[in-house]
Amino acid sequence: MAVHWEDRLQEPEPTVSPTAGPHENPYLIGVGRADCTGPPGDVPLMGYANVEQTAAGIHTRLFSRAFIVDNGSKRVVFVTADIGMVSQRLRLEVLKELEVKYGNLYRQDNVILSGTHTHSGLGGYFQYTLFMITSKGYIKPSIKAIVNGIVKSIDIAHRNIKPGRIYMSKGELEESNLNRSPHSYLNNPAEERNKYKSNTDKQVTLLKFTDLDGDGMGMLSWFAVHAVSMNYTNQMVSSDNMGYASYLLEQEKNIGFLPGEGPFVAAFASSNLGDASPNIRGPFCANTGLPCDYLNSSCPIGGLKMCVALGPAGSDMFNNTKIIGENIFKRAKDLYGKARQEVRGPLHAAHQWVNMTDVTVQLNSTHTGRTCKPALGHSFAAGTTDGGGDLNFTQGGHCSLSAFFHCAPSAARDFPWA
């Protein structure tokens, strides 16, 4: 199943009238949700790369949400879990469990795993050295909870498969995201920047899943915003703004059920959120209250460490999470009610391995470049206003080609490939 995304300069296309009835071969659709919280104490949190940020309680529980779509000849599973990101080790563990249960029904080529990118989920489930350092090693209880939650959500979706229909809707959401590296964004060619209305993607794309009677089964939505309303000082396990949006919509649809229960599944998955921050008031110096330096996001006294981006509620991260989550929920609810354009046609999933140490990049009409072995570039060390770096680097300066990240303003407290 593929959804075509395009950020147009003109207004969004009007919705299409609903189809008269089900097509001959409706999709088979299953949705499921399961808890994947894990141990909420003394486990490092994943996202800010702050070794001192360890779990000390629960703000919101974490869930895995699964969607299965089958067109009679192909089947695709899409899972979005309330975690920072999916590691290869986590993926292999999930696929191993699915093989034991279902044989070759759910495989590497038709199972898509995604993290909501909350920076307040548990760490310790990676095999990569950099991540192992910040999570203080491999943490078996952490990965076990995540694997079990993902597999259980797929199990529930598998058991609940029934004929259904899918509708798509698009719209825009303002006052909920901000480009956290606007100066670095200007390094993009003018002809590229001129394709878009702003330096931040505002589009919301939504899929609505129903049975053949039109009763809602679930919703899957994408909006470009980092799940960092809970900042790097937080020590509570939290699904952040995206998880709160899911909570609100599921509670509204699953009347009489406790949070995390009920048949309707609402997922807000990660998208092109690289430099899209929910801290829409922008960066300020924590020690003076004055705006940070625009060019390098630093403060006259305290440098990068003092430059902190604030959400709509200022420094109150709990209210910031609530406000941004409510904004996303309200827009998704509106688009869900307006979804009329039916998704039809073939189903497809693709998986590809790419050797990122040996890729040729066309720089201009006459010059090419090649990637090298992974290296942490200048931009990685500089950090962002959602979490400054610990070294004496600033944003928007010279940078190294780090695998395939060239002049990408990524954070030492927010891994650039996440």
Side-chain angles (χ1 to χ4, degrees):
M1 178 174 56
V3 177
H4 176 68
W5 175 85
E6 192 173 317
D7 191 351
R8 300 172 183 269
L9 286 172
Q10 61 264 34
E11 291 299 313
E13 296 179 4
T15 53
V16 182
S17 300
T19 49
H23 39 89
E24 285 187 16
N25 299 306
Y27 295 119
L28 295 177
I29 301 170
V31 299
R33 175 188 53 252
D35 192 290
C36 64
T37 305
D42 298 327
V43 175
L45 300 182
M46 177 67 218
Y48 289 111
N50 181 357
V51 295
E52 297 177 358
Q53 188 187 24
T54 55
I58 296 177
H59 174 223
T60 61
R61 297 198 69 83
L62 310 181
F63 293 95
S64 171
R65 294 173 172 89
F67 298 80
I68 299 176
V69 181
D70 190 316
N71 68 350
S73 60
K74 288 187 178 180
R75 176 170 295 199
V76 174
V77 183
F78 181 85
V79 175
T80 176
D82 291 327
I83 59 176
M85 62 209 80
V86 175
S87 70
Q88 176 64 2
R89 174 151 192 172
L90 175 60
R91 179 175 170 80
L92 292 175
E93 294 283 345
V94 169
L95 290 173
K96 182 171 68 175
E97 292 292 324
L98 292 175
E99 184 179 16
V100 171
K101 288 190 170 189
Y102 301 103
N104 68 346
L105 182 60
Y106 299 118
R107 312 169 305 276
Q108 184 168 258
D109 64 320
N110 71 348
V111 174
I112 304 165
L113 303 182
S114 174
T116 61
H117 204 48
T118 173
H119 284 37
S120 296
L122 300 184
Y125 58 92
F126 286 81
Q127 77 276 21
Y128 311 118
T129 302
L130 183 62
F131 295 103
M132 295 284 276
I133 292 172
T134 59
S135 67
K136 303 175 185 177
Y138 177 75
I139 304 171
K140 191 172 182 179
S142 177
I143 191 170
K144 184 177 180 181
I146 299 171
V147 170
N148 289 346
I150 291 175
V151 172
K152 185 176 180 181
S153 67
I154 294 174
D155 288 339
I156 295 171
H158 178 87
R159 293 198 301 266
N160 293 334
I161 282 181
K162 64 176 75 172
R165 304 168 77 177
I166 305 173
Y167 300 89
M168 182 171 66
S169 185
K170 296 180 183 179
E172 297 206 344
L173 174 60
E174 299 291 341
E175 301 300 323
S176 297
N177 64 358
L178 173 96
N179 192 309
R180 65 184 184 182
S181 297
H183 176 63
S184 297
Y185 177 82
L186 295 176
N187 287 327
N188 290 303
E191 59 269 23
E192 173 69 19
R193 289 184 275 116
N194 290 338
K195 295 178 182 179
Y196 312 107
K197 292 183 289 186
S198 73
N199 63 6
T200 313
D201 180 23
K202 306 290 184 180
Q203 184 167 267
V204 179
T205 301
L206 179 144
L207 294 181
K208 174 181 179 179
F209 300 87
T210 74
D211 61 20
L212 294 184
D213 294 325
D215 294 328
M217 298 172 62
M219 181 227 68
L220 180 55
S221 177
W222 293 269
F223 174 63
V225 67
H226 248 82
V228 291
S229 291
M230 301 294 287
N231 64 42
Y232 69 92
T233 68
N234 170 54
Q235 291 187 279
M236 306 286 281
V237 172
S238 176
S239 58
D240 213 282
N241 44 47
M242 288 299 197
Y244 187 60
S246 289
Y247 162 81
L248 291 174
L249 190 53
E250 288 180 347
Q251 284 297 99
E252 181 164 302
K253 295 293 184 180
N254 295 317
I255 298 174
F257 287 90
L258 293 172
E261 299 181 0
F264 189 92
V265 176
F268 293 84
S270 62
S271 60
N272 52 319
L273 50 76
D275 266 323
S277 172
N279 298 309
I280 57 176
R281 290 179 62 177
F284 290 83
C285 296
N287 49 359
T288 66
L290 298 175
C292 302
D293 181 273
Y294 175 77
L295 294 180
N296 55 38
S297 297
S298 65
C299 299
I301 301 174
L304 291 170
K305 299 290 285 187
M306 281 292 120
C307 182
V308 180
L310 300 178
S315 59
D316 187 335
M317 60 184 168
F318 294 96
N319 270 337
N320 287 332
T321 299
K322 183 174 182 289
I323 293 169
I324 298 298
E326 284 179 342
N327 291 349
I328 298 170
F329 152 72
K330 289 175 182 177
R331 192 65 177 110
K333 177 184 174 182
D334 177 60
L335 291 173
Y336 181 89
K338 295 177 179 178
R340 296 291 185 272
Q341 181 179 353
E342 187 167 4
V343 177
R344 296 191 177 192
L347 193 64
H348 185 67
H351 179 270
Q352 182 181 18
W353 292 104
V354 177
N355 181 3
M356 293 307 302
T357 68
D358 187 23
V359 175
T360 299
V361 180
Q362 189 72 40
L363 302 177
N364 52 42
S365 59
T366 58
H367 291 77
T368 61
R370 286 182 60 186
T371 57
C372 59
K373 292 183 178 180
L376 303 183
H378 182 292
S379 59
F380 181 93
T384 72
T385 54
D386 287 328
D390 290 319
L391 303 175
N392 190 27
F393 289 85
T394 56
Q395 292 187 47
H398 299 291
C399 65
S400 304
L401 183 62
S402 173
F404 60 99
F405 295 95
H406 182 60
C407 290
S410 304
R413 294 188 183 277
D414 186 1
F415 295 111
W417 46 82

